[in-house]
Amino acid sequence: MPDSDDARGHNLTEGPLLKPLILLSLPIVASQLMQVMYNLADTFWVGRLGQSAVTALSLSLPFVFLMISLGGGLTVAGTVLVSQNTGAGNTEQVRHVAGQTIAFVSLVSVGLAAIGFVLSPYLLPLIGGSADPEAISLAVEYTRVIFVGVVFMFGFFVFQALLRGYGDTMTPMYLMGASVVLNILLDPFLILGFQDNLLFPLADSLPVGVDFTAMQAQLYAATGFEGFGVVGAAVATVFSRGVAAIIGLGLLFSGRLGITISLSDLWLDPETVRKIVEIGTPTAAEQGANSLAYTVMTSLAALVSGPAVAAYGVGNRINTLVFLPAVGLARGTETAVGQNLGAEETERAKRAVMLSTGIVVAVFGLVSVLVFVFARPLVAVFVPGEPVVIELGTGYFQIIGPTYVFMGLFQVVNAGFRGAGSTRTAMVFSMVSQWGVRIPPTYLLITAFGFAASGVWWGIAFSHIAAALVVGVWYFYGSWTDNVIGEDDDDAPTDAAESDDAPVATEGSDPSTDD
């Protein structure tokens, strides 16, 4: 178990809980902020190409999220098993399950990459609905490049998950930072090339005595490079992720991060793989269902209009920034609950969830006000010169913003269930939040009541409130606090979602925090 004074790992099983929970969560928030910077940088520079390019990103992201979530959910098993074995002091098991998670998830990622590459040209036109053919064509090109590099993405996801379970969130944050900087540097050049690249006129304002506009003309004359457009954003992301994944996994095998993994740990053990699948599959299904729900919601927006899809996509990208405190606290809560249940500190695990909910209420009370007031300028930054999209996006935030507190509560409480290893329970509630109380009401508001784009926004707002109420009831009255480690796999308790008193799943964010 990491010592409480360890510079990397946080021990949340003894002493004050609030401070280490915050210290564990803040780097996750920072890492997620950097993750958002990937998306925002892509959206900003692609936005210079026009509405079709922005719509292409909006269309492609649901499908990409769906395929990545199916395998990425398995990394949660790494977090759960590492955190609970860390809390129990099982050092050898920490090393073993870490190696097994890397090997198994890597194999899964190869299969999903191939499937995604092949299916993109067939499924994206179905998602696109009324979107123009150019946007759909661009979406296919972008998506296929992303799937070529999905193995690198999974590699970094696994690295983050294993270190998070150990209590080290600082190292992944540093690596994410380097990856984001690289992506931001590559984006403008790979997307726009050396013709009409906004970066060069902006650089002219720097007091360095260099005529950057003239430099752009010279570079274009020498190379004729006009950029790769939307595909350039995908290339930049894949390359940046690849660098981070290689460095991160190299650090793990070096033994410098507290978890010492050897090549022998990669040889798959059927029993350990079974446990990874048992814990990770519900989360993979949960995240896959959430991503599919996002795909369906995008299609519902497409029923309204192309500008509605663009507004929905921009809104979701901004939401990923707004949701960062909830995402960070949710991941920190998973680790805190996992370590304490591993150490058989059940009441302390529950207290971690309650501390996180208190922080969420305080933070999102303020965030809701700010987003409501500054809705229009927020949207206008990403789609300048598109008044219809700006108007729709403004309505998006003015309707959804006041419900952010409920969204945050759902995220951290459900994360507590996940950290306990009750991944089936978390899956059920996540599916209810999307497929039960979001998609059906949204469809009715659009088709039966003629709400148009605002029907999508009101459907999301309603789902935030309803989902938070459901998980709150289960937190107080459900059985979710057994851990999932034991002397052998036969001793692992049955997940609460399979018991007779489990909640009835009437239906199934991103991962997902995305709306």
Side-chain angles (χ1 to χ4, degrees):
M1 178 168 57
D3 189 90
S4 57
D5 297 324
D6 194 304
R8 291 193 180 92
H10 288 287
N11 176 14
L12 292 95
T13 61
E14 57 188 31
L17 184 57
L18 180 60
K19 181 179 178 180
L21 180 61
I22 292 176
L23 290 177
L24 181 70
S25 299
L26 284 178
I28 300 175
V29 173
S31 294
Q32 291 295 323
L33 174 60
M34 296 170 192
Q35 166 67 38
V36 171
M37 295 307 293
Y38 269 99
N39 295 335
L40 294 184
D42 288 353
T43 302
F44 178 82
W45 291 109
V46 169
R48 310 308 106 180
L49 301 174
Q51 180 181 309
S52 291
V54 175
T55 302
L57 288 188
S58 300
L59 292 174
S60 63
L61 286 179
F63 182 55
V64 172
F65 286 158
L66 171 62
M67 298 304 294
I68 290 178
S69 295
L70 291 175
L74 295 174
T75 66
V76 172
T79 299
V80 171
L81 292 172
V82 168
S83 66
Q84 293 194 13
N85 279 292
T86 297
N90 299 331
T91 305
E92 287 301 308
Q93 273 299 104
V94 169
R95 173 185 60 76
H96 175 68
V97 298
Q100 294 290 289
T101 304
I102 291 171
F104 184 63
V105 173
S106 296
L107 287 176
V108 171
S109 71
V110 172
L112 290 174
I115 293 171
F117 187 89
V118 171
L119 293 183
S120 295
Y122 303 100
L123 296 184
L124 286 171
L126 299 178
I127 297 171
S130 62
D132 65 89
E134 180 187 3
I136 294 174
S137 176
L138 291 173
V140 171
E141 293 177 10
Y142 175 90
T143 303
R144 299 191 90 174
V145 173
I146 288 292
F147 277 115
V148 168
V150 80
V151 175
F152 294 122
M153 294 184 181
F154 274 51
F156 191 69
F157 293 161
V158 173
F159 171 75
Q160 285 181 305
L162 297 178
L163 267 290
R164 184 167 65 242
Y166 187 66
D168 177 5
T169 54
M170 293 295 290
T171 305
M173 180 190 70
Y174 293 141
L175 264 184
M176 176 63 83
S179 179
V180 168
V181 169
L182 181 57
N183 182 73
I184 291 175
L185 291 174
L186 291 174
D187 257 351
F189 299 105
L190 293 179
I191 294 172
L192 300 174
F194 301 125
Q195 187 179 36
D196 299 326
N197 190 326
L198 177 65
L199 186 65
F200 289 91
L202 288 176
D204 277 335
S205 62
L206 299 175
V208 294
V210 177
D211 187 344
F212 287 97
T213 300
M215 179 187 295
Q216 177 181 206
Q218 293 168 359
L219 289 171
Y220 182 70
T223 65
F225 182 53
E226 299 178 356
F228 298 124
V230 173
V231 171
V235 173
T237 297
V238 167
F239 183 79
S240 303
R241 294 280 198 190
V243 171
I246 291 169
I247 294 174
L249 294 176
L251 287 172
L252 274 179
F253 281 95
S254 73
R256 295 166 57 187
L257 301 180
I259 302 176
T260 304
I261 304 174
S262 64
L263 292 177
S264 62
D265 294 313
L266 300 180
W267 190 260
L268 292 177
D269 171 61
E271 287 303 309
T272 305
V273 170
R274 184 186 65 80
K275 185 170 284 290
I276 291 172
V277 172
E278 178 184 303
I279 297 172
T281 297
T283 301
E286 172 193 345
Q287 294 186 8
N290 285 349
S291 297
L292 183 58
Y294 177 46
T295 303
V296 172
M297 291 294 290
T298 301
S299 297
L300 290 179
L303 289 178
V304 178
S305 65
V309 175
Y312 181 58
V314 170
N316 275 317
R317 287 175 180 273
I318 296 174
N319 269 349
T320 56
L321 177 62
V322 172
F323 291 174
L324 287 180
V327 173
L329 280 168
R331 300 298 177 265
T333 301
E334 286 177 9
T335 300
V337 169
Q339 287 193 9
N340 280 287
L341 290 182
E344 300 184 356
E345 296 283 350
T346 303
E347 290 305 313
R348 188 176 172 86
K350 290 183 176 180
R351 188 154 64 90
V353 176
M354 294 307 297
L355 285 172
S356 293
T357 59
I359 296 170
V360 159
V361 170
V363 171
F364 278 99
L366 175 62
V367 169
S368 292
V369 173
L370 293 176
V371 168
F372 185 90
V373 172
F374 296 105
R376 185 174 296 274
L378 269 175
V379 178
V381 168
F382 295 97
V383 281
E386 299 287 349
V388 176
V389 178
I390 292 171
E391 187 65 29
L392 291 173
T394 300
Y396 176 99
F397 287 109
Q398 290 180 340
I399 292 172
I400 293 173
T403 68
Y404 280 161
V405 169
F406 296 96
M407 178 281 306
L409 289 173
F410 175 81
Q411 290 293 329
V412 296
V413 175
N414 216 30
F417 303 155
R418 200 174 292 114
S422 294
T423 50
R424 293 182 183 87
T425 299
M427 174 190 69
V428 167
F429 288 129
S430 187
M431 288 184 173
V432 167
S433 74
Q434 298 284 346
W435 294 91
V437 296
R438 175 170 298 182
I439 291 174
T442 299
Y443 180 76
L444 289 175
L445 288 171
I446 293 173
T447 59
F449 297 98
F451 272 52
S454 65
V456 182
W457 315 159
W458 281 113
I460 295 169
F462 172 74
S463 70
H464 284 167
I465 298 171
L469 293 176
V470 171
V471 294
V473 170
W474 187 253
Y475 171 82
F476 288 107
Y477 299 106
S479 54
W480 56 272
T481 54
D482 292 327
N483 69 42
V484 293
I485 61 171
E487 292 184 1
D488 55 59
D489 291 330
D490 293 335
D491 294 332
T494 301
D495 188 275
E498 293 184 322
S499 66
D500 293 336
D501 59 349
V504 178
T506 58
E507 295 270 1
S509 143
D510 325 154
S512 168
T513 60
D514 290 304
D515 288 314

